[in-house]
């Protein structure tokens, strides 16, 4: 609205694309090819930041050889976009004084999701748009405290502040503080837990604040894993789909009933204060954890949120100067904040990268793990809609939101619908190699021909019955954004049954 130029790269005509100067409606799963094509144009037009590349990066020559092959015409063919639009976007990004890359799950939820993110950083380094105001590669987090959860060690190889469990000095520091010997091997990614449960390598599981039956790829596989467990404990606010499999359910509390902090995508640590007190047996997560620690033989005194934050600061260099007391005075702090007088760090990588030199990751385009064929001719993507969040555990209990959008649907292109004799609003059967469901067709031009899209919020047609659990080899994220499906018009007798 203030005149900023906008490039939207998205396989669908989303609301934001209507405000874009350029909308590259690329084929799902072709992000790496797109990024390499952008860099091909930037290099050939002489717009690379040679000084930045020479003084602050490594690996450029290898990447340059790779992207040489990604001429706009080849990328246009892979991505199903216009070569001239790609050129225009590359010039717009490279010439801009300030230009942030903002990405979300459409980049990460692929079997090559890590390469997708690294390709974004390659683009930014190529034109020197890292470590500067209004630039950078910025993950737009899917909920309010994803950043904070990662910061606090919710990753299998990390302790708080991304301190590695494989680092002997880090382990020694935490063992001294906690008075116990710690496991020095990285743990298991969440998505690898379920195959391990089926193999009986994991026998018990404690899940809190998560509903993997609804949110994880290949729902039948998740149900089988939960049924394979000897013991499942679940802590949540509501009786979720996953809770149906639990041996013990511990009622937790919502964000509005607790003290603490959220950290947002720009690493800003923000105070959260208790707003309501409700009747019932629900308890704080921290109180549940402390009780379990004591019952399992570790003597842990009761701690308040403020005291826990102080412990985090004492053991985590990037959080050393952050406390409830500073935040309560109105200070706005972004980590790293190494001491109590430090104001925080608004921009990372100013002058120097944390690893020293920025690495140009040599990413080649690799097609998605499962592509359309004669039996399953459509690509299906999944995602969220404005009115609901993930499993609808909370939003599904909000009457107005359910009135606005309360049922499953699949978006398909007009051209495909005409060919299959499917009308807008008609019930259809959608099938993948993993399962089948019945949902409602939404016919239009929001998606391209041979492509479809479904939200995964709704139990009357959960898209994750269909999705592929192919995992990214680094981050272990499932390929939610690309799986092969067929869409069929229901026989007359089935359509009649659906109406009743």
């Amino acid at each position: 609205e203030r005149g900023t130029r906008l490039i939207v790269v998205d396989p669908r005509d989303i609301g934001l694309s209507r405000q874009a100067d350029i909308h590259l409606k690329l084929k799902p799963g072709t992000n790496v090819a797109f990024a390499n094509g952008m860099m091909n144009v930037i290099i050939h037009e002489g717009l690379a930041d040679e000084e930045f590349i020479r003084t602050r990066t490594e690996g450029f020559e290898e990447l340059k050889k790779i992207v040489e092959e990604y001429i706009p015409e080849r990328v246009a063919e892979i991505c199903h976009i216009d070569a001239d639009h790609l050129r225009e976007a590359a010039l717009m990004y490279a010439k801009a004084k300030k230009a942030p890359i903002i990405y979300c799950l459409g980049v990460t939820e692929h079997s090559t999701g890590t390469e997708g993110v690294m390709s974004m950083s390659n683009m930014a380094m190529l034109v020197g748009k890292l470590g500067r105001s209004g630039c950078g590669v910025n993950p737009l987090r899917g909920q309010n405290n994803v950043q904070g959860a990662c910061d606090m060690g919710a990753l299998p190889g990390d302790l708080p502040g991304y301190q590695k469990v494989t680092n002997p000095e880090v382990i020694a520091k935490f063992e001294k503080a906690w008075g116990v010997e710690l496991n020095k091997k990285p743990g298991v990614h969440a998505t690898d837990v379920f195959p391990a449960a089926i193999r009986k390598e994991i026998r018990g599981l404690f899940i809190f604040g998560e509903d993997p039956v609804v949110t994880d790829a290949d729902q039948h596989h998740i149900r089988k894993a939960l049924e394979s467990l000897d013991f499942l404990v679940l802590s949540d606010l509501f009786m979720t789909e996953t809770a149906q499999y639990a041996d013990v359910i511990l009622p937790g509390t919502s964000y509005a009933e607790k003290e603490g902090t959220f950290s947002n995508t720009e690493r800003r640590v923000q105070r959260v204060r208790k707003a309501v007190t409700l009747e019932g047996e629900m308890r704080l997560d921290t109180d549940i954890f402390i009780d379990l620690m004591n019952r399992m033989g570790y003597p842990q005194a009761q701690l308040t949120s403020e005291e826990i934050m102080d412990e985090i600061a004492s053991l985590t260099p990037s959080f050393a100067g952050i406390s409830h007391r500073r935040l309560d005075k109105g200070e706005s702090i972004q980590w790293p904040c190494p001491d109590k007088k430090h104001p925080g760090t608004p921009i990372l990588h100013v002058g120097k990268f944390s690893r020293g030199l920025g690495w140009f990751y040599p990413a080649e385009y690799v097609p998605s793990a499962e592509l359309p064929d004669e039996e399953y001719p459509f690509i299906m993507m999944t995602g969220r809609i404005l009115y609901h969040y993930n499993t609808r555990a909370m939003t599904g209990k909000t009457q107005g939101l359910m009135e606005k959008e309360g049922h499953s649907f699949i978006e398909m292109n007009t051209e495909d619908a005409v060919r299959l004799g499917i009308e807008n609003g008609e019930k259809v059967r959608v099938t993948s190699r993993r399962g089948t469901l019945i949902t409602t067709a939404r016919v239009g031009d929001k998606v391209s021909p041979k492509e479809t899209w479904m939200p995964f919020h709704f139990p009357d047609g959960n898209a994750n019955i269909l999705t592929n659990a192919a995992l990214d080899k680094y981050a272990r994220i499932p390929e939610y954004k690309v799986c092969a499906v067929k869409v069929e018009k229901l026989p007359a007798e089935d359509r009649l049954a659906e109406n009743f």
Side-chain angles (χ1 to χ4, degrees):
E1 288 175 356
R2 295 182 186 178
T4 298
R5 302 188 76 189
L6 174 67
I7 302 164
V8 170
V9 185
D10 197 293
R12 299 166 66 227
D13 285 320
I14 59 172
L16 196 62
S17 62
R18 289 193 289 272
Q19 296 174 266
D21 294 87
I22 303 170
H23 176 205
L24 296 167
K25 197 173 179 180
L26 82 176
K27 177 185 174 183
T30 61
N31 299 331
V32 173
F34 153 74
N36 285 351
M38 291 276 285
M39 289 186 282
N40 177 288
V41 175
I42 290 167
I43 291 168
H44 277 271
E45 292 292 331
L47 295 171
D49 188 330
E50 302 287 352
E51 175 69 11
F52 188 93
I53 293 167
R54 185 178 60 79
T55 59
R56 294 201 51 188
T57 71
E58 61 182 343
F60 174 65
E61 291 304 321
E62 185 181 357
L63 180 74
K64 186 178 178 181
K65 286 178 188 171
I66 289 172
V67 304
E68 188 67 32
E69 303 297 319
Y70 289 83
I71 61 171
E73 286 70 26
R74 181 191 172 206
V75 172
E77 193 174 324
I78 294 170
C79 297
H80 297 175
I81 57 176
D82 185 287
D84 288 335
H85 289 167
L86 178 69
R87 289 188 182 93
E88 186 183 352
L91 297 180
M92 187 185 295
Y93 174 66
K95 290 180 178 179
K97 188 177 177 183
K98 294 185 178 186
I101 296 171
I102 300 171
Y103 74 91
C104 198
L105 302 177
V107 169
T108 55
E109 288 183 344
H110 294 276
S111 54
T112 56
T114 298
E115 281 92 341
V117 175
M118 297 300 280
S119 295
M120 302 295 107
S121 71
N122 288 345
M123 282 172 52
M125 286 196 297
L126 182 64
V127 290
K129 287 184 170 67
L130 276 169
R132 287 171 45 200
S133 169
C135 293
V137 181
N138 309 277
L140 193 63
R141 300 305 192 180
Q143 68 186 78
N144 54 349
N145 208 23
V146 170
Q147 186 67 52
C150 295
D151 295 346
M152 290 301 100
L155 296 162
D158 290 11
L159 287 154
Y162 307 95
Q163 299 176 86
K164 304 303 176 188
V165 300
T166 52
N167 184 331
E169 292 179 7
V170 167
I171 287 293
K173 176 177 67 172
F174 279 89
E175 286 183 338
K176 182 180 178 183
W178 291 341
V180 291
E181 185 179 344
L182 296 175
N183 191 331
K184 296 161 184 69
K185 293 181 180 178
V188 179
H189 283 84
T191 44
D192 289 322
V193 165
F194 299 106
I198 292 170
R199 297 192 300 268
K200 291 292 185 181
E201 293 168 12
I202 289 177
R203 308 294 289 271
L205 197 58
F206 180 5
I207 298 174
F208 61 101
E210 197 81 12
D211 190 5
V213 169
V214 178
T215 59
D216 281 36
D218 190 357
Q219 191 183 94
H220 295 303
H221 158 77
I222 302 298
R223 291 183 187 275
K224 183 179 178 182
L226 295 177
E227 289 166 353
S228 300
L229 292 168
D230 294 346
F231 190 61
L232 174 61
V233 182
L234 189 114
S235 178
D236 216 317
L237 307 182
F238 303 106
M239 189 69 179
T240 63
E241 291 285 313
T242 305
Q244 314 285 340
Y245 293 86
D247 297 285
V248 175
I249 299 173
L250 303 173
T253 53
S254 73
Y255 68 94
E257 301 166 75
K258 61 182 78 165
E259 297 281 326
T261 61
F262 291 154
S263 295
N264 70 4
T265 196
E266 59 173 356
R267 298 166 287 101
R268 192 181 302 280
V269 182
Q270 303 163 105
R271 270 286 272 130
V272 177
R273 296 169 181 83
K274 183 176 177 179
V276 296
T277 300
L278 303 177
E279 295 290 324
E281 299 177 354
M282 54 278 192
R283 302 183 65 208
L284 294 172
D285 296 324
T286 47
D287 287 350
I288 292 171
F289 297 154
I290 288 168
D291 269 8
L292 285 172
M293 291 163 77
N294 282 290
R295 292 192 187 201
M296 294 171 76
Y298 180 90
Q300 174 60 60
Q302 201 73 23
L303 295 173
T304 64
S305 173
E306 182 175 7
E307 290 168 334
I308 293 169
M309 193 76 207
D310 288 341
E311 182 181 318
I312 291 164
S314 72
L315 292 167
T316 312
S318 57
F319 277 73
I322 301 177
S323 67
H324 279 201
R325 292 174 293 286
R326 287 188 69 181
L327 298 173
D328 286 343
K329 288 177 184 174
E331 289 191 63
S332 183
I333 306 172
Q334 292 162 270
W335 66 259
C337 179
D339 61 66
K340 290 180 171 57
K341 292 184 179 178
H342 195 281
T345 309
I347 304 168
L348 286 179
H349 313 304
V350 176
K352 185 180 179 181
F353 291 108
S354 56
R355 72 182 294 275
L357 294 174
W359 179 37
F360 280 103
Y361 182 91
E364 288 270 16
Y365 164 64
V366 177
S368 300
E370 183 180 75
L371 294 171
D373 58 17
E374 198 172 319
E375 187 177 2
Y376 300 98
F378 292 97
I379 287 177
M380 188 188 82
M381 307 167 268
T382 68
R384 303 169 181 165
I385 58 174
L386 176 64
Y387 306 103
H388 290 290
Y389 181 72
N390 276 15
T391 65
R392 296 180 314 112
M394 289 185 278
T395 59
K397 293 174 174 59
T398 306
Q399 187 178 353
L401 296 179
M402 288 298 290
E403 286 176 4
K404 193 75 179 172
E405 201 73 84
H407 297 283
S408 167
F409 60 88
I410 185 166
E411 292 176 356
M412 58 189 305
N413 188 270
T414 304
E415 183 182 304
D416 298 318
V418 169
R419 182 167 42 80
L420 294 171
I422 293 169
E423 294 182 8
N424 186 48
E426 187 176 331
K427 293 285 185 181
V428 292
R429 178 177 284 110
V430 188
T431 308
S432 76
R433 289 178 175 85
R434 290 153 295 279
T436 187
L437 56 81
I438 292 173
T439 187
T440 302
R442 289 202 179 169
V443 177
D445 297 316
K446 202 166 185 177
V447 294
S448 298
K450 297 287 186 181
E451 295 174 15
T452 65
W453 183 90
M454 280 191 75
F456 60 85
H457 310 292
F458 303 104
D460 63 342
N462 187 331
N464 284 322
I465 292 171
L466 308 172
T467 46
N468 188 9
L471 301 178
D472 172 273
K473 63 184 175 183
Y474 301 107
R476 312 303 288 163
I477 297 170
E479 191 149 53
Y480 291 110
K481 299 305 183 199
V482 179
C483 75
V485 300
K486 60 181 173 183
V487 182
E488 300 171 286
K489 187 179 178 76
L490 286 180
E493 60 271 20
D494 288 354
R495 291 203 303 276
L496 189 62
E498 277 294 317
N499 290 333
F500 293 97

